[in-house]
């Protein structure tokens, strides 16, 4: 199913992303000389990326392939590989490989 | 360029090599995700060259693909990248207070988790030339990897393309699981955020809300809870 895009929308969206990504990078470095003292805010900022990635992964990962079954096997493979500290690329490729094999088997069986 | 500036730049360039290699492999996945969803390859490369960030641009792009509103895209990307405030702030304490604003603006563009992490290992003040050298190769690695990923996918058969859909989530798991093994607060953050995200997906009324808002709600809820329950010590930041 080919997806068509309104290019004006896409380009404006990319510009918006670039600008809001740059804002937190340049504001303190350019203008601030003091350190954040509030421990709650510091802790909050520390946890944010993990919460975001977890929310983005579940449950979307289950619908990221052409069948729920292959996605579940792929996810299990990724969790095991990640738990054993394989790098980003190996974990990603391991999940892809398991999904691929599962889908091949589903065709055969 | 003076001799000391040149050697600081080269020193930075060398330290950027491992970051560049890491970025190459991750950005291939990003390029794949874009092409997989029929975005033109040059849009993928444009996103990588103007954003130079992982989670933020992945989420923003996912929203572009699902047709999210500009406000939603902006807010989601901002919330994900809000952590850069902290890194940018730490960096501001380690550079020459007299460094002019144009140089600061250039450095700011290179604030990523990895470049920041490596730059802060520099003993004493961080020279501008060193930081510039450090961000050079990762920037090009990020752009080149995206181009490779975005252009190679059309050569692949359908079965492989279906399997590649899971790659990005595998990568996310590889980012969040290893540190959560030793730090149980992080494990809770992940469980809470993923749990809330599932509630919003499966419950009838809540599922009306678009994914960008769900991510923001999950992030704010899980992170504030953890920040209240397990405040971090100084050395854990960034």
């Amino acid at each position: 199913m080919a997806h068509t895009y309104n290019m004006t929308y896409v380009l404006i969206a990319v510009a918006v992303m670039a600008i809001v990504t740059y804002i937190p990078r340049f504001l303190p470095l350019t203008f601030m000389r003091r350190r954040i003292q509030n421990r709650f805010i510091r802790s909050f900022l520390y946890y944010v990326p993990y919460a975001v990635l977890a929310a983005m992964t579940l449950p979307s990962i289950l619908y990221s392939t052409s069948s729920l079954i292959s996605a579940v096997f792929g996810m299990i493979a990724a969790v095991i590989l990640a738990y054993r500290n394989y790098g980003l690329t190996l974990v990603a490729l391991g999940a892809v490989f398991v999904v691929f094999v599962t889908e091949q088997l589903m065709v055969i069986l | 360029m003076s001799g000391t500036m040149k050697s600081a730049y080269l020193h930075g360039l060398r330290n950027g090599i491992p970051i560049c290699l890491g970025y190459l492999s991750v950005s291939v996945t990003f390029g794949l995700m874009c092409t997989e969803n029929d975005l033109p390859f040059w849009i993928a490369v444009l996103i990588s060259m103007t954003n130079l960030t992982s989670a933020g641009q992945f989420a923003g792009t996912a929203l572009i693909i699902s047709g999210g509103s500009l406000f939603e895209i902006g807010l989601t990307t901002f919330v994900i990248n809000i952590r850069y405030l902290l890194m940018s702030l730490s960096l501001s304490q380690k550079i020459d207070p007299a460094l002019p604003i144009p140089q600061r603006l250039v450095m700011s563009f290179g604030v990523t988790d990895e470049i920041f992490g490596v730059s802060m290992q520099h003993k004493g003040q961080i020279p501008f030339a060193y930081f510039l050298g450090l961000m050079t190769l990762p920037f090009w690695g990020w752009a080149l990897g995206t181009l490779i990923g975005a252009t190679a996918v059309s050569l692949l058969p359908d079965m492989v393309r279906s399997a590649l859909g899971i790659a990005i989530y595998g990568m996310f798991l590889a980012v969040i699981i290893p540190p959560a093994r030793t730090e149980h607060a992080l494990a809770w953050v992940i469980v809470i955020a993923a749990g809330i995200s599932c509630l919003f997906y499966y419950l009838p009324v809540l599922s009306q809300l678009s994914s960008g808002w769900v991510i923001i709600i999950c992030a704010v809820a899980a992170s504030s809870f953890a920040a209240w329950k397990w405040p971090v010590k100084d050395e854990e930041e960034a």
Side-chain angles (χ1 to χ4, degrees):
Chain A
M1 28 169 199
H3 196 140
T4 52
Y5 294 93
N6 172 344
M7 274 303 150
T8 315
Y9 158 77
V10 173
L11 288 173
I12 294 171
V14 172
V16 167
M17 284 162 62
I19 292 165
V20 301
T21 303
Y22 190 62
I23 288 171
R25 284 174 165 165
F26 96 92
L27 279 181
L29 191 52
T30 312
F31 301 113
M32 282 256 294
R33 311 272 158 122
R34 275 194 313 112
R35 190 169 156 66
I36 295 178
Q37 296 298 328
N38 186 306
R39 203 174 174 204
F40 180 83
I41 296 174
R42 292 209 325 261
S43 308
F44 176 83
L45 293 175
Y46 171 77
Y47 290 121
V48 159
Y50 297 95
V52 165
L53 292 180
M56 276 167 53
T57 304
L58 276 165
S60 306
I61 188 172
L62 299 174
Y63 310 103
S64 63
T65 68
S66 50
S67 88
L68 180 63
I69 299 170
S70 65
V72 167
F73 279 107
M75 180 176 76
I76 293 170
V79 169
I80 294 172
L81 292 172
Y83 196 84
R84 296 196 175 169
N85 256 328
Y86 287 88
L88 305 188
T89 312
L90 275 182
V91 174
L93 290 179
V96 167
F97 177 75
V98 169
V99 168
F100 182 75
V101 171
T102 309
E103 289 183 358
Q104 296 289 339
L105 287 175
M106 286 165 67
V107 171
I108 298 166
L109 299 177
Chain B
M1 208 186 251
S2 75
T4 46
M5 275 174 76
K6 194 173 173 196
S7 81
Y9 181 82
L10 291 175
H11 181 202
L13 215 55
R14 259 199 319 279
N15 289 0
I17 294 171
I19 306 177
C20 172
L21 293 177
Y23 279 11
L24 256 175
S25 57
V26 176
S27 57
V28 166
T29 316
F30 176 73
L32 286 172
M33 173 180 115
C34 290
T35 306
E36 187 64 18
N37 290 287
D38 306 303
L39 277 173
F41 80 91
W42 59 271
I43 287 282
V45 176
L46 182 70
I47 293 173
S48 283
M49 294 182 78
T50 56
N51 283 249
L52 188 64
T53 183
S54 56
Q57 82 179 50
F58 275 103
T61 307
L63 286 169
I64 291 178
I65 289 163
S66 64
S69 73
L70 291 175
F71 181 65
E72 206 181 313
I73 292 170
L75 192 58
T76 306
T77 314
F78 182 73
V79 166
I80 294 175
N81 291 327
I82 213 164
R83 67 185 190 284
Y84 291 142
L85 276 173
L86 200 66
M87 302 180 196
S88 174
L89 189 63
S90 305
L91 267 173
S92 72
Q93 331 268 307
K94 265 190 72 102
I95 57 175
D96 180 0
L99 190 70
I101 286 184
Q103 275 90 325
R104 288 174 182 251
L105 291 175
V106 171
M107 279 181 76
S108 302
F109 184 72
V111 178
T112 70
D113 308 48
E114 295 78 9
I115 296 172
F116 165 75
V118 172
S119 72
M120 293 298 281
Q121 315 295 314
H122 195 279
K123 297 246 182 344
Q125 231 169 45
I126 301 172
F128 172 68
Y130 171 78
F131 197 90
L132 191 66
L134 187 64
M135 63 191 266
T136 302
L137 291 177
F139 172 78
W140 288 110
W142 191 243
L144 181 67
T146 304
L147 180 66
I148 294 171
T151 49
V153 75
S154 51
L155 309 170
L156 300 171
D158 278 355
M159 284 296 251
V160 177
R161 294 183 63 167
S162 160
L164 283 171
I166 203 170
I168 174 64
Y169 300 105
M171 193 198 86
F172 288 168
L173 289 170
V175 172
I176 63 180
I177 290 179
R181 291 171 53 191
T182 48
E183 214 181 311
H184 86 253
L186 285 183
W188 277 108
V189 167
I190 292 167
V191 168
I192 294 167
I196 298 173
S197 168
C198 288
L199 284 182
F200 274 95
Y201 191 90
Y202 294 112
L203 293 184
V205 181
L206 296 181
S207 63
Q208 305 287 311
L209 207 61
S210 70
S211 61
W213 290 110
V214 172
I215 290 172
I216 291 164
I217 291 168
C218 294
V220 171
S223 306
S224 0
F225 176 75
W228 164 71
K229 196 114 205 292
W230 302 284
V232 295
K233 294 174 213 71
D234 265 351
E235 63 271 24
E236 274 176 334
E237 298 176 50

